[in-house]
């Protein structure tokens, strides 16, 4: 697999255990990982991110406050963040969720629970 050395990844999921597990997995591969268990906090911090300082966003679909579709829509609406790759992680892999996630620009849909 080819990837950017020390890539910066943001994980947004209201389940802290999922965030910590993903962080541990990616940090073993020398990625820089930050996570948000509060999607509204990520939205508030969004002006600090752009295509140059963020390489991947992994977002859960079903979250309180701001759901994953809304997060992807916000990323897509800004010139500075629309080309950041987005992955979805969700326990709800319905046909509609899959279709919508890819329509919002997700490059991958990972179903919970997942295995390494």
């Amino acid at each position: 697999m080819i990837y950017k050395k020390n890539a910066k990844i943001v994980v947004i999921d209201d389940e802290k255990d999922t965030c910590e597990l993903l962080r541990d997995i990616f940090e073993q591969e020398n990625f820089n990982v930050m996570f948000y268990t509060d999607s509204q906090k990520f939205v508030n911090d969004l002006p600090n991110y752009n295509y140059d300082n963020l390489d991947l966003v992994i977002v859960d679909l079903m979250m309180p406050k701001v759901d994953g579709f809304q997060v992807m829509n916000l990323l897509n609406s800004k010139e500075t963040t629309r080309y950041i790759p987005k992955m979805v992680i969700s326990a709800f892999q319905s046909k509609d969720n899959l279709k919508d996630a890819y329509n919002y620009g997700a490059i991958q849909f990972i179903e919970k629970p997942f295995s390494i």
Side-chain angles (χ1 to χ4, degrees):
M1 173 185 274
I2 298 173
Y3 53 84
K4 182 178 172 183
K5 186 176 183 176
N6 298 319
K8 172 100 179 203
I9 299 171
V10 167
V11 177
I12 310 161
D13 193 315
D14 57 321
E15 295 177 15
K16 187 175 181 183
D17 290 343
T18 299
C19 290
E20 290 175 343
L21 176 61
L22 287 170
R23 180 194 61 204
D24 293 346
I25 292 167
F26 287 121
E27 285 182 347
Q28 289 178 8
E29 297 296 325
N30 296 317
F31 292 116
N32 296 313
V33 180
M34 177 177 216
F35 68 81
Y36 292 86
T37 55
D38 181 342
S39 55
Q40 183 61 56
K41 174 104 172 78
F42 174 77
V43 169
N44 295 343
D45 288 350
L46 188 57
N48 299 322
Y49 293 113
N50 60 59
Y51 189 73
D52 293 325
N53 67 8
L54 184 55
D55 299 295
L56 176 66
V57 173
I58 301 173
V59 62
D60 183 22
L61 290 182
M62 305 301 166
M63 295 181 289
K65 299 180 185 174
V66 182
D67 70 31
F69 292 119
Q70 292 169 310
V71 168
M72 290 190 292
N73 192 47
L74 283 168
L75 288 164
N76 292 338
S77 70
K78 300 187 181 312
E79 183 65 33
T80 57
T81 57
R82 77 173 45 142
Y83 298 110
I84 296 170
K86 297 166 280 297
M87 293 176 69
V88 168
I89 184 167
S90 180
F92 304 101
Q93 190 176 0
S94 69
K95 286 183 181 180
D96 287 338
N97 280 348
L98 279 167
K99 178 182 170 190
D100 291 342
Y102 289 117
N103 284 338
Y104 277 93
I107 60 170
Q108 185 70 44
F109 193 111
I110 301 168
E111 187 175 15
K112 290 180 187 177
F114 60 91
S115 63
I116 298 172

